[in-house]
Amino acid sequence: MTTAARYGRQRSKAYGAGRAAARGLALALIALPGSLLCFVLTAVSLALIPVGVGLVTTPHVLAGVRTYANRRRVLAAEWGGVRIPPAYRPLPPGANPWTRTVAPLRDPATWRDLRWLPVDMTAGFVTALLPAALVLYPLEGLALAAGLWRVFPDGYWYGFVPVDGPASALGAGALALVLLLLGHFRAARLLGAHFLLTRAVLGSDQEALAERVRVLTETRRDAVDTSAAELRRIERDLHDGAQARLVAMGMDLGTVEALLDTDPEQARELLARARRSSADALGELRDLVRGIHPPVLAERGLGDAVRALALRLPVATEVTVELPGRAEAPVESAAYFAVSELLTNAVKHSGADRIWVDLHRADGFLRMTVTDNGKGGAALGAGSGLRGVERRLAAFDGVLAVSSPVGGPTLVTLELPCALS
């Protein structure tokens, strides 16, 4: 490792330690008063239920506790990379005041929130404060070693070091350096420990299972809807295209039969038109088959199919493929049509004059990126077709990420779990 790289790495660690200390301090300042307030308000509201006041206050207090807990879940994901999915039971529509009070109290997730509040105001407070203490407390020891000890004529304790002179002040400075070094390497992990503690109390296997069931239910519904829409498209294309041409060709041939003896010249023209209709119908059938499952995809795999797709685009497209084998046919098909939709969007909406496609496999995932140098501004749900691509991938546990600042460039990344053969 070069000196510059080593310096950059140490600088990054120092920045990470400082950021963890600042975040830990913010969490500590929130955890103690916030959890204490929520806990007291909940206890008082529950105690007032027998006299009727709690029936009015408890739904609002529990909603506030849920909001507070959900905010901590967001911070755990953003600051610590720890995902804690919520799994609250929804209230029935049109619930009366009694149901709005009793239903949350029957929800196990509510009691997990309430058990978490005392943990958060005690152990959570300590684990959040530790990163800040390891980074900030050494500053006091260094200040004592620099001469601040003279301000305390009766002596001063820094940690376990009694500071009453120059020698002991240097000892305090040495201890401060040890703590600062420990904070430099461990502050971020200590902050992660705070979020792991939060997940241990707030999270549950049942929550994860419920979230998984919800996702599978949603993706199954989307897959069924997509399949039905695809069948309707195929039926419409057959009815309006090839079927209409074949019907017209049959009528022309019937007319030819009647004209063979009386008007051979017109019969010859009708035969030529029937031949053109049959060629057009065959072309439409081929296009329809290509739209269902392109032959090049079945014969030569995803890489060559995307290259063939890029050759038909009016925009210069560069395709890079690093796939050591082939994925399963359904995965290849989903990936092909997802890339096809993205390329169509780029051509129609981006105003780009160059597109780059990269296909490779890493860590058990088929990763695909489509980049263009257009005007940017693409977003999920903006009518660009990206939502349909996301639904197509979700059926295979795939994900889609979009980076498209105004002014460009646009980078769309797709990931599909797969095993190559």
Side-chain angles (χ1 to χ4, degrees), residues 239-261:
H239 182 272
D240 297 341
Q243 179 179 334
R245 292 187 182 279
L246 290 174
V247 169
M249 185 175 66
M251 294 175 64
D252 287 343
L253 291 176
T255 305
V256 167
E257 273 187 313
L259 294 176
L260 276 176
D261 296 330

Side-chain angles (χ1 to χ4, degrees), residues 116 119-120 122-125 127 192-202:
W116 166 71
V119 174
D120 189 54
T122 53
F125 172 76
T127 53
H194 169 83
F195 293 123
L196 291 175
L197 173 65
T198 303
R199 183 175 65 181
V201 183
L202 274 183

Side-chain angles (χ1 to χ4, degrees), residues 89-90 128 134 140 187 265 334 393:
R89 295 174 181 174
L134 284 177
E140 181 183 345
E265 188 64 29
L393 298 180

Side-chain angles (χ1 to χ4, degrees), residues 197-216:
L197 173 65
T198 303
R199 183 175 65 181
V201 183
L202 274 183
S204 73
D205 294 338
Q206 289 186 349
E207 284 185 358
L209 181 60
E211 177 70 9
R212 180 62 177 161
V213 170
R214 185 193 66 78
V215 171
L216 288 176

Side-chain angles (χ1 to χ4, degrees), residues 262-307:
T262 60
D263 194 347
E265 188 64 29
Q266 187 176 358
R268 189 177 297 107
E269 292 179 3
L270 289 175
L271 282 174
R273 189 168 69 181
R275 185 175 64 252
R276 289 193 299 271
S277 295
S278 67
D280 291 340
L282 182 60
E284 290 180 358
L285 287 173
R286 285 174 176 169
D287 291 339
L288 185 62
V289 170
R290 189 179 296 113
I292 299 173
H293 193 79
V296 67
L297 179 63
E299 296 169 3
R300 304 184 61 179
L302 180 62
D304 287 339
V306 173
R307 288 191 182 100

Side-chain angles (χ1 to χ4, degrees), residues 253-414:
L253 291 176
T255 305
V256 167
E257 273 187 313
L259 294 176
L260 276 176
D261 296 330
T262 60
D263 194 347
E265 188 64 29
Q266 187 176 358
R268 189 177 297 107
E269 292 179 3
L270 289 175
L271 282 174
R273 189 168 69 181
R275 185 175 64 252
R276 289 193 299 271
S277 295
S278 67
D280 291 340
L282 182 60
E284 290 180 358
L285 287 173
R286 285 174 176 169
D287 291 339
L288 185 62
V289 170
R290 189 179 296 113
I292 299 173
H293 193 79
V296 67
L297 179 63
E299 296 169 3
R300 304 184 61 179
L302 180 62
D304 287 339
V306 173
R307 288 191 182 100
L309 185 64
L311 290 175
R312 297 197 297 269
L313 296 178
V315 177
T317 304
E318 180 181 333
V319 180
T320 302
V321 180
E322 295 180 7
L323 298 176
R326 295 191 59 174
E328 296 179 355
V331 174
E332 279 194 337
S333 180
Y336 173 84
F337 286 109
V339 172
S340 175
E341 179 70 22
L342 294 178
L343 291 175
T344 301
N345 285 349
V347 171
K348 288 184 177 179
H349 307 296
S350 71
D353 58 13
R354 193 164 185 82
I355 301 173
W356 296 266
V357 182
D358 178 76
L359 309 177
H360 67 278
R361 182 178 183 270
D363 303 325
F365 286 87
L366 173 61
R367 290 200 174 106
M368 302 159 283
T369 60
V370 177
T371 309
D372 66 68
N373 61 352
K375 61 185 179 182
L380 287 170
S384 59
L386 293 176
R387 185 64 69 186
V389 175
E390 187 179 44
R391 286 198 299 267
R392 183 187 292 273
L393 298 180
F396 298 88
D397 285 339
V399 295
L400 179 147
V402 181
S403 173
S404 182
V406 176
T410 295
L411 171 65
V412 182
T413 303
L414 315 172

